[in-house]
Amino acid sequence: MTKYDDLTEFLLRLGDSALIQAQRLCEWTGRAPALEEELGMMNVGLDLVGQARNWYDYAAERINDGTDADALAFRRDERAFRNLLLVEQPNGDFAVTMTKQFFYDAWQFHVLTLLKNANDEHIAAIATKSLKEVTYHLRRSSQWVERLGDGTDESHQRMVNAIDTVWRFTFELVEQNDTEWSLSEAGHIPALTELPELWHATVSEVFTNATLTVPDAASTFYLSARTGMHSEHLGLLLAEMQFLQRAYPDASW
Amino acid sequence: MQAGELIVTDQLGRPGDKTDIQRAYSVLEDVMDPEVPVVSVMDLGIVRDVGWTDGHLYVVVTPTYSGCPATEYIETSIREALQEAGFAHPHITQSLDPAWTTDWITDQGRNRLKAYGIAPPVGSSNKRTLLSGITQVECPNCGSDDTEQLSEFGSTACKSLYRCKSCLEPFDYFKCI
């Protein structure tokens, strides 16, 4: 399996995470608890698809073997995907969906805020553009976490269960990695050393308002998006998402 | 002389030059947004540059939202309108930097949105406005300030859904970004 250079791997991490998160949101089409929430989730998903395309366009330009954004999204196998384990997890109930969204939004918000100042002009431009949208996303998911956590006994318990379900995947959001170190050493991106602290601060603040408890830091385990070792859920998601392009390559209508 | 260098509005044709840029701008004034058909691409402020290089007209546009499905449609509309006006081979490119902001919507654009029943963005897109999300939006139908947000998101990525508590009409608000 091809392993690209550090910068391209980093772009795929951002692009794949946005695309898979968007795909999970799409699963709520026609099934959301309220019309406004369905609109909200589809709008967030649409923003994320657009962001994924921007990251993929740049990655494809770097790979430079004739690939393009569509091919990266629809013709790579599970092991080639670099998305966070968190975003490939099943939606569960609305509390699980919102908890995943909130953890991801907080991560995106701080990553993009740091990347806004990247020396790499492509990265800075995409980050600046995306951050405007992600600021809205984070505001919305934070409000839901607070509303559900500080809501009824039932909604509070559902939030506690949701955190239990997905917290173990958050280790990837706060880990320090050689790829990012070498990218910042080489001057492509700013150092992401503050990221764990920033993410944790946002989560703590919102959880405090939501009367929820922040668990101890999640430990690393053998799965890792960086090596393509995903949970069992990604393959099934891709099977559905990629079916058309795999069965009818370059189909158009 | 290559075909692309010609302005073909008349039978004889003539090479275009920088003096045609102004005419290109006036063509763009009539290219409307497909989802909000009362505002033009100029009103929205998504046309970032128009110029002349190597015998071609070029136009630089920027997308409103990363995932806006109208972006490609708008590029096609711009191309067709310019070709129809005689610009044989316009180059249209996309630029992400600087990122589009609702601050670039012109006064004419804001008035047109309001007349169409969409509340124009309030204030400027500074960080505080974005993070707090607190805005006093005026009802585009009756002018009352007594309005409430129904949903952070609306029928398109660029709008959110409001309701007027005075005239009771729901309306779209063009979000500030």
Side-chain angles (χ1 to χ4, degrees), chain A residues 220-240:
Chain A
T220 307
F221 60 105
Y222 68 98
L223 296 178
S224 164
R226 295 184 193 276
T227 54
M229 292 292 287
H230 290 277
S231 59
E232 70 271 32
H233 306 293
L234 182 64
L236 294 166
L237 180 150
L238 293 181
E240 183 173 296

Side-chain angles (χ1 to χ4, degrees), chain A residues 142-188:
Chain A
S142 302
Q143 284 169 355
W144 266 114
V145 168
E146 290 175 13
R147 198 163 149 192
L148 294 172
D150 192 20
T152 62
D153 289 346
E154 169 77 12
S155 71
H156 181 85
Q157 189 54 47
R158 294 253 196 151
M159 280 305 295
V160 171
N161 297 347
I163 295 163
D164 277 352
T165 308
V166 298
W167 182 260
R168 66 198 180 106
F169 299 107
T170 59
F171 75 91
E172 279 193 305
L173 310 183
V174 292
E175 73 181 356
Q176 298 288 317
N177 180 271
D178 291 346
T179 308
E180 277 110 64
W181 270 116
S182 65
L183 287 176
S184 77
E185 291 272 293
H188 293 294

Side-chain angles (χ1 to χ4, degrees), chain A residues 16-237:
Chain A
D16 289 343
S17 297
L19 183 70
I20 302 302
Q21 176 69 10
Q23 179 67 15
R24 279 288 183 224
L25 287 173
C26 289
E27 291 173 10
W28 278 101
T29 311
R31 301 170 55 219
L35 180 61
E36 287 78 9
E37 287 320 305
E38 178 147 331
L39 282 173
M41 284 191 281
M42 297 313 118
N43 268 296
V44 172
L46 189 61
D47 286 342
L48 293 175
V49 170
Q51 293 172 17
R53 184 169 67 173
N54 288 335
W55 295 120
Y56 286 155
D57 279 339
Y58 184 27
E61 191 184 311
R62 292 183 56 83
I63 295 167
N64 195 25
D65 66 354
T67 193
D68 61 15
D70 281 342
L72 288 172
F74 296 118
R75 298 199 198 159
R76 276 181 306 148
D77 290 333
E78 182 192 352
R79 290 289 293 271
F81 270 77
R82 296 288 176 256
N83 61 278
L84 300 165
L85 297 168
L86 174 76
V87 300
E88 72 199 33
Q89 299 311 309
N91 283 334
D93 60 11
F94 195 66
V96 173
T97 298
M98 274 306 139
T99 304
K100 284 196 298 171
Q101 184 75 45
F102 169 62
F103 289 160
Y104 173 65
D105 289 343
W107 180 80
Q108 278 249 84
F109 180 82
H110 293 301
V111 170
L112 296 172
T113 303
L114 293 167
L115 292 182
K116 252 174 80 166
N117 301 316
N119 287 333
D120 184 308
E121 287 174 8
H122 267 84
I123 292 181
I126 301 170
T128 306
K129 178 91 199 150
S130 308
L131 186 59
K132 291 189 174 209
E133 296 152 5
V134 169
T135 306
Y136 265 96
H137 303 173
L138 176 61
R139 196 166 80 213
R140 172 171 173 274
S141 56
S142 302
Q143 284 169 355
W144 266 114
V145 168
E146 290 175 13
R147 198 163 149 192
L148 294 172
D150 192 20
T152 62
D153 289 346
E154 169 77 12
S155 71
H156 181 85
Q157 189 54 47
R158 294 253 196 151
M159 280 305 295
V160 171
N161 297 347
I163 295 163
D164 277 352
T165 308
V166 298
W167 182 260
R168 66 198 180 106
F169 299 107
T170 59
F171 75 91
E172 279 193 305
L173 310 183
V174 292
E175 73 181 356
Q176 298 288 317
N177 180 271
D178 291 346
T179 308
E180 277 110 64
W181 270 116
S182 65
L183 287 176
S184 77
E185 291 272 293
H188 293 294
I189 61 169
L192 301 181
T193 31
E194 293 163 64
L195 185 59
E197 206 177 309
L198 292 167
W199 184 82
H200 199 266
T202 299
V203 171
S204 299
E205 189 191 330
V206 172
F207 273 23
T208 302
N209 294 338
T211 70
L212 293 164
T213 311
V214 184
D216 292 338
S219 354
T220 307
F221 60 105
Y222 68 98
L223 296 178
S224 164
R226 295 184 193 276
T227 54
M229 292 292 287
H230 290 277
S231 59
E232 70 271 32
H233 306 293
L234 182 64
L236 294 166
L237 180 150

